[in-house]
Amino acid sequence: MGRIDSLLAAMTLEEKIGQLTMVAALPDAAGFVLAEEARAAIAIGHAGSVLNVWGEARTREVRTLARQSRLGIPLLVTYDVLHGQRTVFPIPLAETAAFDPSLWEATAQVAAREAAEDGVDLTYAPMIDVSRDPRWGRIAESPGEDPRLCAQVAFAKVRGYQGAGGAFDGDRVAATAKHLAAYGASIAGRDYAAVDLSERTLHEVYLAPFKAAVAAGVAVIMPAFVSLAGVPMTAHTRLLRDIVRGQWGFDGVLISDFQAVAELVAQGVAADLVEAAALALTAGVDIDMVGGAYAQGLPQALERGLVEIDLVDQAVRRVLLLKERLGLFDDARPKREVASAGAARAHAAPTQAMKDGSSASSAPERASRNLAREAARRSIVLLKNAKDVLPLRPSVQRIALIGPLADARRDMLGPWAGAGVADDAVSILDGLRAAMPGVDIVHVKGVDVIGEELDEIDRARRTARDADAVVLCVGESTDMSGEAASRARLGLPGRQQALADTMLDLRKPVIMMLSSGRPLMVADLIERADAVLATWFLGSEAGNAIADVLTGRFDPSGRLPVTWPLDIGQVPIHYAQAPTGRPPDPDNRYTSKYIDLAVEPLFPFGYGLSYTRFSHHDLRLRASALSPTDELVVTVNVRNDGAREGEQTIFLFTHDVVASVGRPLRELKAYAKVRLAPGETKAVTLSVPVSQLTVLDASLKPVLEPGEFDVYVGPDARSQSLSKARFRVRGSR
Ligand code: GLC
């Protein structure tokens, strides 16, 4: 009999339910504190996993508690390492702008190594919710609006965290695909609010990334807090059991979101914790994250016959199997013990050298920070550069660095900063001073991010008046982004608008940088500024990366993974619009548009500028009549029309012109990057297997329908940017 069978045979009901119960260290002024009650539960085997504990000493201590229990089943140590542990990378929305799966995998691998060194076994990442509503604060954690892109991120991140074969060798952690599903479609962009959408949209848009995560071998899936058409995800048997486990073959562990099992009562589907526990277990949720619903409700649920002990055993088996796969029964992974010594060093007080990014305390730390700088640079999206005011001219001698985000360090880390600490982050001021030692950089905060207290606007005006250039750093604080941070108005908070207006009234070159976890509705300021960059929350190396771009050491190459609305009134808005019988026509009142606002976003999906200019020409197809087993092969010439080398990203969208259901006007199928010297032209070829043109027919069955398709190729999703050609898919005969 194997180890797991023997354990199951020996376990009491309380010990079995213990393996399905997670306790958490909760935040307080001193950091995260694990309550005495939680520690006691671990020590008697009534809690088999813990949230928010990391660091060599603290994880060793709680693991020792678990080993003291009757059966000594090892503890599963879990934490939200979403975009970095000690080295913090750009928020996922920003990093997706790099459109580079190898980068996404590389940063996840470093995050995994540092998390494993800190004694973490499992991270609650990647977050792969398709997000099309910037009011929702968690868009910051997502890979944006496109299901295929989210699926690519899912696959890359799972491999990065877990390793290619999911072997979890030493410096890897178990990954969690979250939050299944359609969390990003919560009504009115309000976090935790109900979701109601068609089965088609659920499958074609919101489940796609999770299917990719399962294909990548993800160890854990977390159902979302929300209800879908009245059924809470945490109790969604049809989705969790029939589709995820049944059809997709997912045999990993399902961990509820925080107290989500207990919240089934408030969701109106359970009268008490007993019914809540029964519903969640029946749906296939293995671990109850905090809330105590399984511990308090399952014994009675079994007594009342609401669930059978076999369901409990199946859940326990999956949890024990995950612990075995992670090597936890072998008293943690040998590499981790050695590595954790390194972790102690890494927590040493950051050196000044680390702050300005020129070096870190060790070679691995240096490599991690260099990767963080590379990821941050490639996440920056240049939205505007009128009169080529950027890169900053060598003649610039005096810069007025204005705004509440200029000297911010903690905000650069974003809403889920892992074990990252503000002092380790390089602020924009740090970065600019390190990059431009000979330039006089005068910093004035001007106003706070939010609130009315600080008023240095006049001092900011005087400083800017005497400068060669104004770099304006505005946006959100990190706690205005992420979970429980939905915003109904997406302008600049506090008195930042007044500060920005004052700067722009000076008629001097103003470079505006937007630090945020979402597109901000600041069209008026973008209109007036000379240059605008989306600098998101870029992580530990934010300031150095921004300086690399402003000085021209790095040519901005980021492209928007999410549509940037002109106004909140356009939301929800995304490029893959469904067809209408009355497409917007400015010359025809009776068409689908607003009478008081344009229908086009300010910036489309895929948009982003470089310091040079590109054009594309001569779109041609290798063949325009294709069989179902063929590939669509498209070539386009891309030319660098500017005076600097640069990198262009070219996107390929398709549109199924006539199908059994109306298909989105554009669907991203491929993209490619090309570096070009000034004046250089290269042929860029993109290919798409015809099988990827499969759709769900009216009865949601996948089908490849013969007929006419349009292919669009260009630098972003805006119609005016795209070249078009038509091809045909023949019947299967
Ligand atoms: C939070 C989040 C989830 C996170 C979990 C553990 O409420 O919804 O994304 O992984 O709790 O911190």
Side-chain angles (χ1 to χ4, degrees):
M1 184 187 274
R3 168 167 40 206
I4 291 176
D5 291 328
S6 314
L7 276 173
L8 264 172
M11 291 166 87
T12 64
L13 176 62
E14 288 71 21
E15 287 165 335
K16 289 181 179 178
I17 294 173
Q19 290 303 308
L20 311 185
T21 296
M22 181 181 295
V23 292
L26 300 175
D28 79 358
F32 284 94
V33 176
L34 189 60
E36 202 39 53
E37 183 190 352
R39 299 161 63 81
I42 293 171
I44 57 172
H46 289 187
S49 48
V50 67
L51 167 65
N52 293 336
V53 173
W54 73 90
E56 185 232 357
R58 295 178 70 222
T59 53
R60 187 186 296 278
E61 195 235 337
V62 287
R63 287 190 200 284
T64 304
L65 281 178
R67 273 203 291 274
Q68 288 165 1
S69 64
R70 185 176 75 89
L71 295 171
I73 296 174
L75 190 66
L76 182 69
V77 178
T78 73
Y79 187 44
D80 290 275
V81 184
L82 195 76
H83 48 96
Q85 173 68 351
R86 300 190 297 276
T87 308
V88 181
F89 296 101
I91 55 171
L93 185 65
E95 193 184 82
T96 306
F99 281 85
D100 181 350
S102 62
L103 177 71
W104 300 331
E105 182 172 342
T107 57
Q109 183 171 357
V110 169
R113 175 172 55 76
E114 293 187 356
E117 284 175 353
D118 277 358
V120 174
D121 302 316
L122 178 151
T123 178
Y124 296 108
M127 190 276 209
I128 50 177
D129 295 306
V130 174
S131 305
R132 296 174 163 176
D133 190 332
R135 294 171 294 182
W136 190 48
R138 306 201 77 166
I139 192 171
E141 305 170 44
S142 84
E145 71 181 50
D146 181 77
R148 176 178 295 272
L149 194 57
C150 288
Q152 263 200 341
V153 169
F155 196 88
K157 288 295 181 186
V158 168
R159 285 170 57 97
Y161 283 119
Q162 297 187 171
F168 304 132
D169 49 12
D171 52 5
R172 305 283 185 156
V173 293
T176 303
K178 73 182 187 181
H179 313 76
L180 187 140
Y183 189 6
S186 49
I187 288 173
R190 257 190 353 267
D191 207 352
Y192 316 120
V195 172
D196 210 338
L197 43 76
S198 72
E199 190 74 6
R200 171 178 303 284
T201 301
L202 172 68
H203 283 269
E204 290 189 344
V205 176
Y206 293 100
L207 286 178
F210 291 91
K211 209 170 176 182
V214 170
V218 72
V220 176
I221 291 178
M222 178 187 283
F225 281 121
V226 296
S227 64
L228 172 63
V231 180
M233 283 299 166
T234 306
H236 210 300
T237 302
R238 181 173 66 84
L239 259 182
L240 301 181
R241 272 206 191 278
D242 303 349
I243 293 178
V244 171
R245 290 197 189 282
Q247 290 176 23
W248 297 357
F250 175 69
D251 59 0
V253 173
L254 289 172
I255 299 180
S256 82
D257 206 332
F258 198 92
Q259 297 180 337
V261 178
E263 289 172 10
L264 291 174
V265 176
Q267 294 259 31
V269 296
D272 54 26
L273 290 186
V274 177
E275 290 184 4
L279 283 172
L281 190 72
T282 302
V285 173
D286 298 310
I287 293 182
D288 167 25
M289 180 188 282
V290 194
Y294 277 10
Q296 296 169 51
L298 276 185
Q300 285 187 59
L302 286 160
E303 279 165 26
R304 290 193 215 164
L306 300 179
V307 289
E308 299 300 325
I309 188 63
D310 183 44
L311 271 189
V312 173
D313 290 350
Q314 287 171 26
V316 174
R317 181 180 298 279
R318 284 190 288 264
V319 173
L320 294 180
L321 196 58
L322 175 60
K323 293 184 175 184
E324 190 169 66
R325 282 179 65 198
L326 280 162
L328 299 185
F329 283 100
D330 311 327
D331 194 15
R333 288 167 283 177
K335 255 190 107 175
R336 187 179 294 162
E337 297 307 320
V338 172
S340 63
R345 189 178 62 250
H347 279 291
T351 60
Q352 180 54 43
M354 183 184 265
K355 272 193 210 165
D356 62 28
S358 55
S359 72
S361 58
S362 69
E365 293 289 327
R366 238 188 327 278
S368 302
R369 287 195 76 106
N370 290 341
L371 180 63
R373 186 167 181 163
E374 174 66 8
R377 287 190 300 219
R378 297 177 61 190
S379 302
I380 294 170
V381 182
L382 178 61
L383 298 172
K384 180 180 180 183
N385 190 21
K387 303 189 287 287
D388 287 342
V389 68
L390 284 178
L392 290 170
R393 301 289 182 272
S395 58
V396 165
Q397 284 309 305
R398 189 177 171 85
I399 291 176
L401 186 64
I402 307 295
L405 276 305
D407 192 21
R409 288 200 176 91
R410 173 61 192 87
D411 291 312
M412 295 297 115
L413 298 182
W416 292 92
V421 291
D423 273 356
D424 274 355
V426 178
S427 70
I428 297 171
L429 178 60
D430 295 333
L432 280 179
R433 282 193 168 145
M436 308 168 89
V439 174
D440 184 12
I441 297 172
V442 183
H443 165 239
V444 178
K445 190 172 180 180
V447 296
D448 287 322
V449 171
I450 195 161
E452 313 289 320
E453 297 71 40
L454 181 65
D455 183 354
E456 296 175 336
I457 292 183
D458 201 45
R459 187 154 77 85
R461 188 177 50 74
R462 290 196 306 276
T463 303
R465 189 189 54 202
D466 303 339
D468 302 323
V470 179
V471 178
L472 178 61
C473 304
V474 289
E476 296 178 322
S477 57
T478 186
D479 59 7
M480 302 177 78
S481 178
E483 183 176 359
S486 294
R487 292 181 65 200
R489 291 188 291 265
L490 299 189
L492 292 181
R495 302 192 62 241
Q496 295 185 71
Q497 179 78 33
L499 176 68
D501 286 336
T502 303
M503 294 299 106
L504 292 164
D505 289 345
L506 289 171
R507 302 268 177 270
K508 296 184 83 80
V510 173
I511 295 131
M512 180 166 71
M513 301 204 289
L514 300 172
S515 293
S516 68
R518 54 172 44 102
L520 295 177
M521 304 298 103
V522 290
D524 60 322
L525 297 178
I526 292 173
E527 171 69 28
R528 299 170 61 202
D530 297 275
V532 183
L533 299 105
T535 53
W536 317 106
F537 296 122
L538 292 172
S540 303
E541 285 291 313
N544 286 327
I546 289 169
D548 290 341
V549 168
L550 294 187
T551 57
R553 284 185 199 143
F554 183 82
D555 175 54
S557 57
R559 299 292 182 264
L560 289 179
V562 63
T563 299
W564 193 292
L566 174 62
D567 182 282
I568 194 72
Q570 293 179 324
V571 169
I573 181 172
H574 56 89
Y575 82 84
Q577 291 291 312
T580 160
R582 297 188 172 197
D585 174 352
D587 303 324
N588 180 345
R589 179 185 176 88
Y590 299 95
T591 58
S592 179
K593 61 186 185 304
Y594 304 108
I595 59 172
D596 59 350
L597 187 68
V599 286
E600 286 298 316
L602 185 59
F603 300 114
F605 174 87
Y607 180 85
L609 302 177
S610 302
Y611 287 150
T612 185
R613 283 169 188 71
F614 299 101
S615 56
H616 66 278
H617 314 271
D618 305 331
L619 172 65
R620 59 249 189 221
L621 307 184
R622 180 182 294 170
S624 56
L626 303 171
S627 76
T629 54
D630 283 339
E631 280 203 329
L632 166 67
V633 180
V634 170
T635 300
V636 67
N637 292 343
V638 184
R639 189 175 64 217
N640 179 344
D641 299 320
R644 290 172 61 100
E645 184 189 350
E647 177 187 87
Q648 177 62 313
T649 303
I650 289 289
F651 299 95
L652 183 152
F653 303 92
T654 59
H655 174 221
D656 189 341
V657 181
V658 179
S660 52
V661 290
R663 300 300 306 158
L665 301 177
R666 306 266 187 288
E667 289 182 271
L668 178 69
K669 296 294 181 186
Y671 57 85
K673 289 174 176 295
V674 59
R675 283 201 75 74
L676 294 168
E680 185 180 13
T681 296
K682 277 184 185 167
V684 175
T685 296
L686 301 107
S687 59
V688 178
V690 170
S691 57
Q692 289 190 10
L693 301 175
T694 299
V695 297
L696 299 180
D697 66 12
S699 55
L700 296 185
K701 274 204 342 294
V703 60
L704 178 63
E705 299 181 338
E708 304 284 304
F709 288 78
D710 286 332
V711 56
Y712 295 89
V713 173
D716 59 53
R718 200 193 301 259
S719 304
Q720 301 87 317
S721 315
L722 295 167
S723 299
K724 171 181 166 182
R726 180 152 290 192
F727 65 96
R728 165 173 194 75
V729 173
R730 290 190 293 263
S732 47
R733 53 195 169 288

